[in-house]
Amino acid sequence: MEKEYQVKLTSTEITALWGSYINDSAISCKLEYFLSKVEDKEIKPIIQHAIEIAQGNLRTLTEIFNKEKYPIPYGFKTNEDVDQSAARLYSDTYVLYYLHQACQIAIQGYSVNLSLSVRADVYSYFSECISQLTTFLREIKELLLSKGLYIRAPYLPIPEDIDFVKKQSFLKGFFGEKRPLTGTEITNLITNFERNAFGAATLLGFSQVAQSKEVSEFLFRGVEIAKKHCDIFESTLNEAYLPAPMTWNIEVTDSTSYTFSDKLMMFYTTALIALSIGFYGTSMAMSPRKDLALQYVRLSAEIAKYAEDGAKIMIKNGFLEQPPMALDREELAMQKTKE
């Protein structure tokens, strides 16, 4: 009988699978804690559904890793990285918005992974992840709408006819009269405001329960950066007579008891920073008005420095699990020389 040929995983595929495992193990920890604290009977089954999705993903990923004889990432463990008996840190409303934000980000991430996957089982896995989450996202949106919590973007007037840009001033924005914001620019300003406002609330809670002073100070610095960025985005929207979304600090309790491990909180924080840099880059590319593009460049530079400081803390404390890497050929050559 002909031996079945198994196509090896590419560097892109193994990295995507590895990152997915780490993310789902971290999400599972947070969701288990949220489930133990939630009081709203309508939100509780949504959290339970999210846990089932994350744990199902972990089982499938484990099967793939075992099949490839690839080491299963350590990731995060509920019994190590979260104390479910800790006091309540976030409100039920925060948890519902957390699920909404996390689901949106995951769908975008899975879409990229799907587009880069070739092997049938990997492609099928990410395709199924997207299918599950699109249905789950609809459930979350329906619940937000039913509770009057869904924040809609501003409406735009309906034009009388199609038109084309005729003046180079469409690109300007530093001096003199600024043209109105385009729908794309408004979308990016609002979504970046929302992510920073939500990030500020998340890091505020984290900073209160961090065990290390160094980690606590780093996290609170992130709160200040996020608030500053919110102010910039809000100012730009207000100049165009458009409203900014709400902030979330009131959804954080005054708890200071151990809740999440410093390792888990630093992972989430550095992941949020990486996402922000990506979103700002996309926003810059989609903003023809030069003042907005420059604004995103400046803000990206600020959080890139913050990301570097976070990486140093993670390495120093042994929090950073090494991702899949290429061979160090120079080191191999040096070892051979020593022999």
Side-chain angles (χ1 to χ4, degrees):
M1 180 181 291
E2 183 179 354
K3 186 177 180 180
E4 182 182 356
Y5 176 68
Q6 178 63 53
V7 180
K8 291 179 65 177
L9 291 171
T10 65
S11 58
T12 302
E13 290 167 337
I14 192 62
T15 300
L17 293 169
W18 187 92
S20 296
Y21 188 97
I22 296 290
N23 287 329
D24 276 311
S25 68
I27 287 171
S28 291
C29 290
K30 287 194 75 175
L31 292 176
E32 292 284 359
Y33 169 75
F34 290 151
L35 186 63
S36 69
K37 301 302 170 188
V38 69
E39 297 174 354
D40 192 306
K41 293 181 179 178
E42 291 181 294
I43 298 177
K44 196 162 191 172
I46 294 286
I47 301 174
Q48 186 63 57
H49 187 185
I51 292 173
E52 291 168 2
I53 291 174
Q55 292 183 345
N57 290 345
L58 289 172
R59 287 193 293 271
T60 302
L61 289 167
T62 298
E63 290 173 5
I64 295 175
F65 285 128
N66 286 337
K67 180 179 174 183
E68 294 298 313
K69 296 182 174 54
Y70 195 94
I72 298 171
Y74 191 82
F76 299 90
K77 320 290 183 186
T78 302
N79 61 341
E80 294 178 9
D81 296 297
V82 61
D83 182 1
Q84 295 188 51
S85 67
R88 186 183 181 88
L89 186 58
Y90 300 107
S91 71
D92 287 356
T93 300
Y94 168 92
V95 173
L96 188 56
Y97 272 102
Y98 166 82
L99 290 171
H100 188 242
Q101 287 278 343
C103 194
Q104 288 178 309
I105 291 170
I107 289 174
Q108 293 179 50
Y110 285 143
S111 297
V112 173
N113 291 341
L114 179 70
S115 68
L116 297 174
S117 299
V118 178
R119 209 173 85 172
D121 58 339
V122 180
Y123 187 93
S124 176
Y125 170 72
F126 287 121
S127 178
E128 178 60 26
C129 286
I130 294 171
S131 178
Q132 280 187 316
L133 288 186
T134 50
T135 301
F136 183 52
L137 183 59
R138 185 70 258 172
E139 293 177 20
I140 299 171
K141 288 183 185 291
E142 291 292 347
L143 186 54
L144 285 167
L145 286 166
S146 71
K147 292 180 174 295
L149 295 173
Y150 193 87
I151 303 172
R152 295 181 184 271
Y155 296 100
L156 294 176
I158 300 175
E160 295 181 0
D161 201 355
I162 62 171
D163 199 1
F164 293 88
V165 175
K166 301 178 180 65
K167 297 181 180 180
Q168 296 295 325
S169 58
F170 183 80
L171 305 176
K172 295 180 180 177
F174 293 112
F175 305 105
E177 184 178 353
K178 297 178 181 178
R179 65 154 171 79
L181 296 168
T182 65
T184 301
E185 290 166 344
I186 293 170
T187 298
N188 288 328
L189 287 166
I190 288 174
T191 53
N192 284 319
F193 179 99
E194 288 178 339
R195 282 188 286 261
N196 274 280
F198 197 77
T202 300
L203 298 191
L204 181 62
F206 282 178
S207 68
Q208 292 175 187
V209 300
Q211 299 299 290
S212 161
K213 181 181 178 182
E214 180 182 35
V215 170
S216 180
E217 289 176 348
F218 174 80
L219 295 170
F220 194 75
R221 178 181 156 202
V223 176
E224 295 298 310
I225 291 173
K227 286 169 60 180
K228 172 187 166 185
H229 288 204
C230 280
D231 290 341
I232 292 171
F233 296 136
E234 182 175 17
S235 175
T236 305
L237 288 167
N238 288 343
E239 284 178 6
Y241 300 97
L242 294 169
M246 62 182 286
T247 56
W248 298 100
N249 291 352
I250 60 172
E251 305 300 335
V252 183
T253 72
D254 60 356
S255 174
T256 56
S257 61
Y258 172 81
T259 306
F260 304 113
S261 68
D262 286 1
K263 174 188 171 185
L264 179 62
M265 293 188 292
M266 286 298 298
F267 167 78
Y268 263 105
T269 303
T270 52
L272 287 173
I273 299 168
L275 287 168
S276 294
I277 293 174
F279 287 131
Y280 283 0
T282 301
S283 300
M284 177 181 65
M286 298 172 68
S287 299
R289 225 175 73 176
K290 292 182 179 179
D291 61 319
L292 296 180
L294 183 62
Q295 177 175 282
Y296 286 119
V297 171
R298 181 167 52 82
L299 298 181
S300 296
E302 182 176 20
I303 55 176
K305 177 62 173 67
Y306 183 55
E308 181 183 358
D309 293 342
K312 290 177 179 177
I313 292 175
M314 292 188 73
I315 293 171
K316 173 184 174 182
N317 290 278
F319 295 160
L320 188 61
E321 189 168 349
Q322 184 168 293
M325 295 176 65
L327 288 172
D328 188 334
R329 301 292 180 178
E330 183 178 353
E331 182 180 352
L332 289 174
M334 292 298 293
Q335 288 178 352
K336 190 67 176 177
T337 303
K338 290 177 182 178
E339 293 174 3

